[in-house]
Amino acid sequence: MNKPLRRVALAMMVMVVLLMGNATYVQVIKADELRDGPGNTRTLYDEYSRQRGQIIAGGQSLANSVETDDKLKYLRTYPEGPAFAPVTGYYSFVYGANGVERAQMNLLNGTDDSLAFDRLSDMITGEPPRGGDVELTINPAMQRVAYEQLTSKNFQGSVVALDPKTGAILAMANAPSYDPNRLASHLKSEALAGWNEASQAKGDPMLNRAVSEIYPPGSTFKLITTAAALQNGYNANSQVTDAPSITLPGTRTPLPNYGGNTCKGNTLTKALAHSCNTAFAEIAGKLGADKMRETASAFGFGQDLQVPMRAAKSDLGPMADAPSLYQSGIGQRDVRVTPLQNAMMVAAIANGGKLMKPELVRRTTAPDKSSISEMQPEELNQAVSPEVARTIRDMMLQSEQNTKGDGKISGVEIASKTGTAQHGDPDDKPHGWYVAFAPAEAPSIAVAVIVENGGDEGAEATGGSIAAPIGRAVIRAGLQGGG
């Protein structure tokens, strides 16, 4: 072969190699990314040609697909819309997916590996391909009550309820919320209007406050300080200060009790029952930052969680000096928690100190309703010993007796703690918290409630007055066995 022909042959070989390399890169390495990319309308049209699986809770359909006569064959619908939006999320031709719709995407749209046999069977029998179903742990009655309690008073906030023994999420409600039906519309103009309305509305309705927002926990954090104290030499009758105010060490800054009152007792039990700031600030100072962090970590602070939506991490902040340590001991300064984390904290106390991983998906099934996966309760940690958990429970029973607010349940003992968290609001409107579990002797429900910015009481609000009635109503709905 002469020299010019050799050059042509070599160039052609290089081009063939490059072509094969590019084809391999696109069809093998980048295939999943290109297929799942938001701009791949071919994949979306393919997905909408199949009947998407249902999202179910308590035997009720929270999300299903109905056949249409437009070019997108199936329309996603949400029968109870805003009340369940924080768990279902949305599924939109224009805006993609969120919540369980996103976390369980492949199962719902039928492309999950676990459904390979079903796809093959459908191909052979000529049946139209379908997605699998996702059954949630949500108790619909508790979810509705949580949402109605928040929205009926035009509150902004969140409610999370857990089964302490299994970690099953029984309720996850937010207010304000949004209607996923509007985002699911096949009319682009309607989906756009729904998206703009939800994303630009006051209070950020599309924010899943339960798992994505972190708040100062206020006095609910005293349960962590109490647990740290009991594990480090304190007991229920240990003497603590009852001073109406103390001065933060190395400063002239006073740290008073609520209302500047002397604490009604000088034991650890009385301090928690009356939520005395001065006592818990001094306890944190004596314990030190390391022991406070260790205890908080045992209850889940700093842990990376997916339920299956990813939850923001709760944190104590730097606690770089003694004043910040004192303030952290009462849940102020830089301490931040999600409502989910606060529910996990009381669930662990209710469960003899055993912290369970929160889970939202109870079961997944194939289109023929055969089971694919079942929730397996997972223990994350033994946060405190059963003895310490029982001691805190008994203290929380006394706290509930001192907590005002409506909705107390006759014949049911509730163990609880309130929190009233300052957060730099210019009008001094605090966030109100209520964390609780019931029945105290055999807990089946643990709940965390936050009402932002004083609810309807403004600067006069407390956790007991605005959040406790909501928590009790959700517990009542759960104990009545509503589905």
Side-chain angles (χ1 to χ4, degrees):
M1 183 180 297
N2 59 36
K3 191 173 181 178
L5 284 176
R6 282 202 305 273
R7 287 179 174 174
V8 171
L10 182 60
M12 293 183 66
M13 287 178 62
V14 170
M15 293 173 65
V16 168
V17 169
L18 289 174
L19 185 61
M20 291 176 65
N22 185 61
T24 302
Y25 177 73
V26 171
Q27 295 186 17
V28 178
I29 298 174
K30 296 284 288 184
D32 289 344
E33 182 182 335
L34 293 172
R35 185 182 63 243
D36 298 336
N40 190 348
T41 54
R42 183 176 177 180
T43 300
L44 286 173
Y45 278 114
D46 182 53
E47 279 189 15
Y48 274 84
S49 71
R50 298 190 295 270
Q51 186 172 13
R52 191 173 174 86
Q54 294 187 81
I55 299 175
I56 302 164
Q60 302 172 35
S61 180
L62 306 180
N64 55 60
S65 294
V66 297
E67 197 162 1
T68 71
D69 55 4
D70 61 37
K71 61 182 179 181
L72 299 176
K73 192 172 179 182
Y74 289 97
L75 174 69
R76 198 62 166 168
T77 65
Y78 303 87
E80 301 202 51
F84 290 80
V87 289
T88 62
Y90 57 82
Y91 179 67
S92 169
F93 184 73
V94 182
Y95 297 104
N98 201 357
V100 170
E101 291 279 28
R102 180 176 181 178
Q104 295 288 326
M105 176 66 78
N106 291 344
L107 188 287
L108 289 166
N109 69 20
T111 61
D112 193 81
D113 290 345
S114 63
L115 298 175
F117 179 79
D118 296 85
R119 292 196 295 273
L120 178 62
S121 176
D122 289 341
M123 187 182 303
I124 294 171
T125 61
E127 289 290 323
R130 295 163 296 166
D133 293 341
V134 177
E135 180 182 338
L136 305 183
T137 57
I138 292 291
N139 178 319
M142 294 175 69
Q143 181 77 14
R144 290 190 195 99
V145 166
Y147 181 70
E148 288 166 6
Q149 285 283 320
L150 289 169
T151 56
S152 64
K153 294 182 179 178
N154 200 30
F155 284 173
Q156 192 166 294
S158 183
V159 176
V160 176
L162 301 174
D163 181 333
K165 292 183 174 61
T166 65
I169 297 174
L170 304 174
M172 182 188 285
N174 292 325
S177 188
Y178 66 98
D179 187 356
N181 287 297
R182 299 197 64 190
L183 304 184
S185 173
H186 289 179
L187 294 174
K188 191 173 181 179
S189 58
E190 187 172 329
L192 175 64
W195 177 270
N196 288 339
E197 183 180 296
S199 61
Q200 297 172 14
K202 182 182 178 184
D204 198 356
M206 297 182 75
L207 173 67
N208 189 343
R209 290 173 155 77
V211 296
S212 300
E213 186 72 337
I214 53 174
Y215 302 89
S219 293
T220 60
F221 190 76
K222 290 171 182 167
L223 294 175
I224 297 290
T225 307
T226 300
L230 291 172
Q231 294 191 113
N232 289 281
Y234 285 73
N235 60 54
N237 296 315
S238 290
Q239 299 292 294
V240 298
T241 184
D242 61 357
S245 179
I246 60 174
T247 302
L248 294 176
T251 75
R252 295 181 179 177
T253 305
L255 188 154
N257 286 330
Y258 180 75
N261 298 318
T262 299
C263 189
K264 296 178 181 177
N266 61 354
T267 65
L268 183 58
T269 296
K270 291 297 183 184
L272 189 74
H274 296 286
S275 201
C276 301
N277 290 337
T278 56
F280 285 95
E282 284 195 354
I283 291 171
K286 291 175 181 175
L287 292 173
D290 289 346
K291 289 176 180 174
M292 291 294 294
R293 287 192 195 284
E294 182 181 342
T295 303
S297 176
F299 277 94
F301 279 68
Q303 192 145 10
D304 193 6
L305 281 176
Q306 289 187 293
V307 296
M309 299 85 86
R310 183 176 294 279
K313 292 182 181 180
S314 300
D315 186 55
L316 274 67
M319 292 192 293
D321 52 28
S324 63
L325 175 58
Y326 272 53
Q327 292 169 308
S328 298
I330 61 171
Q332 294 285 175
R333 190 69 179 219
D334 300 317
V335 184
R336 295 291 183 272
V337 301
T338 60
L340 175 67
Q341 172 60 61
N342 252 0
M344 290 168 62
M345 174 182 66
V346 285
I349 296 168
N351 194 33
K354 190 179 294 183
L355 178 65
M356 305 301 293
K357 182 179 183 295
E359 297 279 5
L360 188 56
V361 176
R362 184 180 302 284
R363 196 161 82 106
T364 59
T365 59
D368 64 0
K369 307 305 177 189
S370 60
S371 181
I372 296 174
S373 67
E374 295 271 356
M375 171 185 158
Q376 301 295 324
E378 178 184 346
E379 181 182 340
L380 290 177
N381 198 24
Q382 185 72 37
V384 291
S385 69
E387 293 75 18
V388 167
R390 280 195 293 272
T391 301
I392 299 174
R393 176 203 62 191
D394 292 344
M395 293 177 174
M396 293 173 69
L397 285 170
Q398 293 197 35
S399 176
E400 173 69 10
Q401 291 173 8
N402 293 319
T403 299
K404 62 179 184 179
D406 299 330
K408 295 206 175 185
I409 307 171
S410 177
V412 176
E413 280 198 311
I414 297 177
S416 75
K417 183 71 191 80
T418 57
T420 306
Q422 306 300 326
H423 57 100
D425 181 77
D427 297 322
D428 205 27
K429 298 176 182 176
H431 294 331
W433 281 98
Y434 180 74
V435 295
F437 59 84
E441 285 298 323
S444 58
I445 299 167
V447 66
V449 179
I450 181 168
V451 175
E452 298 177 13
N453 303 314
D456 56 356
E457 298 183 6
E460 302 302 316
T462 65
S465 64
I466 57 174
I470 297 174
R472 292 172 187 143
V474 173
I475 289 172
R476 183 194 299 274
L479 295 181
Q480 288 176 343

